[in-house]
Amino acid sequence: MSNYKYSTLAVHAGQYPDPLTGAVNVPVYLSSTFELTGIGTDKGWDYSRAGNPTRDRLEEALAALEGGFSGHAFASGMAAIAGLVAMLRTGDHLVCSSQVYAGTVRFFDRIVRHYGIDIEYVDTSNLDAVAAAIRPSTKLVHIESPSNPLMVLTDIAGVSEIAHAHGIEVSVDNTFLSPALQSPLALGADIVMHSTTKYLNGHSDGLGGALIGSTAEHKERFGLVQKAAGGVLSPFECFLVLRGIRTLPLRIKQHEENGRAVAEFLSTHPKVSRLAYPGLKSHPQHELAVKQQKGFGSMLSFDLGSREAAGRFLGAIKIFLSAESLGGVESLASHSATTTHFALSDEERESLGITQGIVRLSIGIEDKEDLIADIDQALGAV
Ligand SMILES: Cc1ncc(COP(=O)(O)O)c(C=O)c1O
């Protein structure tokens, strides 16, 4: 399978006919338990928390798409992040990008810190800052690139080199680009994390998360976390992600085309400032985006100057739905300060540059001219 090109992998990795019936789609095995064949023997599965045939297929597909050793499906992106840090111990030091989804910060600060794990937020777009943050107790550097919502990039190969020189692992939240547009493991990272809720599912009809490891030890580690902690994805939702994956390359082509067109339109609009889209030459890290990404995706953000202006825009937009989340076929617009980054304090948001005027767009796969016309009329109401 691994020598096939990407679109072929998306359709076929993990998605072969059911050996029992020949069904061309992966069956949804709605069974919590499996009949044993004897004392201590089974047909490959014994209990669905430890493993389920539908989940196995999704995990196989995820590993293939990211070029990893094993895939592990969790109940949500946050459950995957919980799985990622589950094996850290008291006294361990975790370096995390300061620009990340605020739910990650909420989980690290309000839960993981209580286990005596030292969490340090670092501007990982600055490799010197990453090198300076490394301590003898550092076990993991977790980065999100591009970041939510300001589209700040981290040099994945650069961070991996620094971390590996000290025997430290690097994990990358690859949610914003999907495996179709960025391959963190090929760039040197050790573990990839996804909220499959977004582009991998692609239809906004199910939460999900994933970890993709690059070694046999990761397979054992994350397999244990799934079985012992239990935050696994249900068989039905595994099926939905598998179905979404089949059209991922096609969807991403349209997302990408629309994302570029909308970004270009916004780049000339007088009411828009601080437009963040790595595909624009004006983005300060455009060259890094060209180097480490296979495309620029369909996430972008911009500043309308005030909460009131953002509110007027979101009130006037018609095709775009004013809603949290991203990566679905439908276009979404959100006010970052009161949705994805609500978990941060005003001071934290201010220090990161997530001001009250920031609006984030997830550009869907509708007709790009309709989307631009919709944004144009909504900006007219600002
Ligand atoms: C970049 C990123 N990582 C992780 C998550 C968490 O994923 P989930 O909502 O599936 O738990 C999100 C959710 O918005 C996200 O945007």
Side-chain angles (χ1 to χ4, degrees):
M1 225 357 117
S2 60
N3 51 349
Y4 287 130
K5 301 233 169 12
Y6 207 76
S7 304
T8 312
L9 281 182
V11 176
H12 293 291
Q15 310 213 43
Y16 35 85
D18 177 42
L20 199 61
T21 62
V24 297
N25 290 312
V26 175
V28 182
Y29 284 93
L30 291 175
S31 197
S32 53
T33 193
F34 297 83
E35 188 186 25
L36 304 179
T37 49
I39 300 283
T41 57
D42 55 47
K43 292 180 179 167
W45 299 272
D46 55 10
Y47 191 66
S48 270
R49 176 157 34 76
N52 174 282
T54 314
R55 201 173 86 219
D56 284 3
R57 299 290 201 90
L58 171 61
E59 293 179 338
E60 193 179 330
L62 291 167
L65 293 181
E66 286 289 4
F69 189 85
S70 63
H72 303 268
F74 289 86
S76 67
M78 289 317 306
I81 293 182
L84 174 70
V85 299
M87 300 293 271
L88 293 181
R89 289 161 190 249
T90 304
D92 284 349
H93 177 235
L94 162 65
V95 172
C96 179
S97 298
S98 46
Q99 296 276 354
V100 276
Y101 170 55
T104 304
V105 175
R106 175 174 50 205
F107 172 60
F108 285 170
D109 286 356
R110 295 177 59 184
I111 295 180
V112 180
R113 263 194 213 287
H114 296 166
Y115 303 140
I117 292 156
D118 203 350
I119 297 151
E120 187 174 348
Y121 297 98
V122 172
D123 174 7
T124 54
S125 69
N126 175 351
L127 292 180
D128 293 337
V130 175
I134 302 293
R135 301 182 200 163
S137 57
T138 310
K139 292 289 179 322
L140 181 69
V141 179
H142 179 67
I143 60 188
E144 188 177 301
S145 183
S147 71
N148 187 351
L150 297 182
M151 308 303 289
V152 177
L153 268 54
T154 291
D155 180 341
I156 297 171
V159 167
S160 302
E161 202 177 313
I162 293 167
H164 292 168
H166 297 86
I168 297 163
E169 292 192 323
V170 175
S171 54
V172 179
D173 185 334
N174 203 20
T175 300
F176 261 41
L177 286 174
S178 90
L181 294 181
Q182 182 165 266
S183 302
L185 300 181
L187 293 165
D190 304 281
I191 301 158
V192 177
M193 176 256 139
H194 279 284
S195 164
T196 65
T197 313
K198 319 300 183 192
Y199 289 100
L200 280 160
N201 170 301
H203 297 76
S204 307
D205 55 12
L207 289 175
L211 292 176
I212 296 100
S214 54
T215 66
E217 191 275 325
H218 290 146
K219 182 175 180 182
E220 211 177 303
R221 190 196 311 173
F222 298 135
L224 173 65
V225 170
Q226 287 178 299
K227 184 173 169 171
V232 294
L233 194 60
S234 77
F236 183 65
E237 276 164 325
C238 289
F239 169 81
L240 289 178
V241 181
L242 274 168
R243 188 163 75 159
I245 283 174
R246 293 198 130 168
T247 56
L248 178 71
L250 265 182
R251 284 187 282 112
I252 288 288
K253 263 186 207 155
Q254 194 64 39
H255 278 299
E256 170 92 1
E257 187 182 319
N258 291 358
R260 286 180 199 226
V262 168
E264 266 158 38
F265 166 76
L266 288 170
S267 68
T268 58
H269 201 287
K271 289 187 181 163
V272 167
S273 64
R274 297 177 62 212
L275 173 62
Y277 182 70
L280 292 174
K281 289 211 172 71
S282 56
H283 188 282
Q285 295 171 296
H286 176 68
E287 274 176 34
L288 177 59
V290 170
K291 193 176 98 183
Q292 76 178 7
Q293 301 177 186
K294 291 170 228 169
F296 306 110
S298 66
M299 295 302 300
L300 58 81
S301 65
F302 53 88
D303 198 339
L304 289 177
S306 68
R307 183 183 174 116
E308 292 67 35
R312 283 195 291 275
F313 176 83
L314 292 169
I317 199 100
K318 291 193 176 86
I319 299 173
F320 282 78
L321 305 176
S322 174
E324 226 169 302
S325 204
L326 60 112
V329 290
E330 70 291 320
S331 291
L332 300 179
S334 62
H335 180 238
S336 300
T338 52
T339 57
T340 57
H341 285 69
F342 186 62
L344 301 185
S345 66
D346 290 344
E347 297 74 41
E348 283 169 325
R349 276 193 300 270
E350 201 65 35
S351 73
L352 293 171
I354 304 170
T355 51
Q356 290 289 333
I358 293 282
V359 170
R360 189 191 76 180
L361 300 184
S362 168
I363 320 285
I365 63 168
E366 304 94 333
D367 185 278
K368 62 182 180 234
E369 285 176 21
D370 287 342
L371 295 179
I372 289 170
D374 191 26
I375 294 169
D376 197 22
Q377 66 79 24
L379 284 171
V382 169

